[in-house]
Amino acid sequence: ASEVVSSADAMRDLMNRAVVKRGDQLLKMVERLIKGKPIGFDKENAREIRGAEIDEAGDFIREHLPEEFRNVGHWEVEFFVRPYLRERVANLGLISTLLEQCQVTLRCWYFPHFDREHTANFARGVQSYTLGPVGHREGYRAYQSGTLVWKQELWEDSAPNVAAGQKVLSFVGVILEITEYFLFAKRYYEKIAPDAAIHLTIRLTDTLDRTLTALGDGLLRGVYTSRVASIQTDTECTAAELVASYEELARKAIRHVYEMFNWNDSSDDLMKQWQERLVNHRL
């Protein structure tokens, strides 16, 4: 305040508080320098910047895929790294190289897919969209910070052996899809953020009244239907934990999806069997 300090004791108290405050600021500056954080950066800023990246990626995907893409169910992933570093990956060319090296190619379609015509650099990363056959349209953005946002329409909504208007989801497909996402994350973050914490969000949309089904793979006893509009799983782990146990982490996410379809006694052994078939190319 702009007023005369009332006494010597009050002046000493004021000076002590100023010294303590300045000391705290200096300690934070030293910590940021040691850890590679830019001055003036904090967790609140990180959340805002990361949220902006995720929102921008969603806008990019919506803008470049057809209108009908917005009106069907999706698999969606949002992966990011803590602590936030804007240029965790040194340059844009390295992002493309790493995406290609870490791409999962265990089935007839890749994750993430490289579209030769529609993949390009943008200011802070690499972006791509695919106007492929119905059921394979997708888009993504991969940022230098390590954030990856990807969306693909559900292939079940256009499968030839599914009646028009019928909302189903392959129970085996859930295992394969989620395992592939975790396998990619394991490969990618082991390279770009081996000492960091990783957040993995996997989301299914348009799940209200959608029913799990076999679609020719395996045998599913019982009828399991979702009564919620979307399903989301969130995994917090370190890169080291991903490397050591990505399949187990994937099974936790798979089980959560099944539970949201009201399948409460799914078998861990069943998931392991399909994961083994996937990684050993025996599908």
Side-chain angles (χ1 to χ4, degrees):
S2 299
E3 60 186 45
V4 176
V5 179
S6 59
S7 67
D9 288 340
M11 176 60 79
R12 281 193 292 270
D13 180 63
L14 182 63
M15 294 292 290
N16 286 338
R17 279 187 285 162
V19 169
V20 169
K21 185 174 181 180
R22 182 56 178 162
D24 289 343
Q25 291 174 340
L26 288 170
L27 285 173
K28 288 180 180 179
M29 290 172 66
V30 170
E31 180 187 14
R32 288 167 181 162
L33 287 169
I34 292 172
K35 294 184 177 180
K37 297 179 182 179
I39 302 302
F41 184 87
D42 57 30
K43 291 181 180 179
E44 190 65 31
N45 290 336
R47 283 193 293 268
E48 291 178 3
I49 296 169
R50 188 186 301 118
E53 290 180 344
I54 292 171
D55 290 344
E56 290 168 5
D59 291 341
F60 165 78
I61 294 169
R62 281 190 295 273
E63 289 170 7
H64 289 86
L65 290 173
E67 180 71 27
E68 56 266 29
F69 180 85
R70 308 177 193 179
N71 302 319
V72 297
H74 302 135
W75 281 105
E76 302 178 354
V77 305
E78 295 170 5
F79 297 165
F80 58 81
V81 185
R82 292 194 178 101
Y84 180 89
L85 294 176
R86 184 184 176 101
E87 296 183 356
R88 184 176 294 277
V89 182
N91 58 68
L92 306 187
L94 183 56
I95 297 177
S96 291
T97 299
L98 291 170
L99 287 172
E100 188 169 2
Q101 289 176 352
C102 301
Q103 188 182 47
V104 178
T105 59
L106 298 174
R107 295 190 284 167
C108 60
W109 198 256
Y110 301 163
F111 175 78
H113 181 68
F114 279 72
D115 189 285
R116 296 183 182 278
E117 185 177 354
H118 301 125
T119 298
N121 295 338
F122 68 100
R124 301 195 309 283
V126 174
Q127 61 191 18
S128 180
Y129 64 96
T130 299
L131 298 172
V134 176
H136 289 95
R137 290 178 294 197
E138 65 178 85
Y140 67 84
R141 265 190 170 187
Y143 289 82
Q144 281 183 273
S145 65
T147 298
L148 174 73
V149 179
W150 171 92
K151 299 183 182 184
Q152 180 183 33
E153 60 192 358
L154 295 179
W155 62 266
E156 288 92 339
D157 287 351
S158 58
N161 54 341
V162 175
Q166 186 180 8
K167 292 175 63 174
V168 299
L169 185 71
S170 166
F171 84 97
V172 172
V174 172
I175 300 172
L176 305 182
E177 292 280 350
I178 291 179
T179 300
E180 287 182 335
Y181 305 154
F182 274 83
L183 175 56
F184 170 82
K186 165 194 173 296
R187 294 173 176 176
Y188 194 58
Y189 293 114
E190 182 182 17
K191 292 180 180 294
I192 72 170
D195 300 318
I198 315 298
H199 180 98
L200 308 175
T201 291
I202 298 172
R203 186 181 301 112
L204 266 170
T205 67
D206 191 27
T207 54
L208 181 64
D209 297 328
R210 190 177 290 273
T211 300
L212 289 177
T213 187
L215 288 181
D217 292 320
L219 179 63
L220 181 64
R221 294 183 174 86
V223 177
Y224 305 103
T225 302
S226 169
R227 301 304 181 192
V228 296
S230 64
I231 298 169
Q232 178 171 312
T233 74
D234 293 284
T235 303
E236 290 276 358
C237 61
T238 64
E241 288 170 334
L242 261 179
V243 171
S245 55
Y246 82 92
E247 290 173 305
E248 180 182 352
L249 292 170
R251 289 195 296 274
K252 291 180 181 178
I254 294 163
R255 186 174 298 104
H256 177 72
V257 171
Y258 285 164
E259 288 172 346
M260 297 308 297
F261 276 86
N262 298 291
W263 186 9
N264 296 325
D265 58 352
S266 58
S267 166
D268 209 55
D269 287 340
L270 174 70
M271 298 179 209
K272 289 179 180 178
Q273 290 170 13
W274 281 102
Q275 286 180 323
E276 182 182 354
R277 292 182 63 176
L278 173 69
V279 299
N280 291 305
H281 300 272
R282 293 194 291 107
L283 296 176

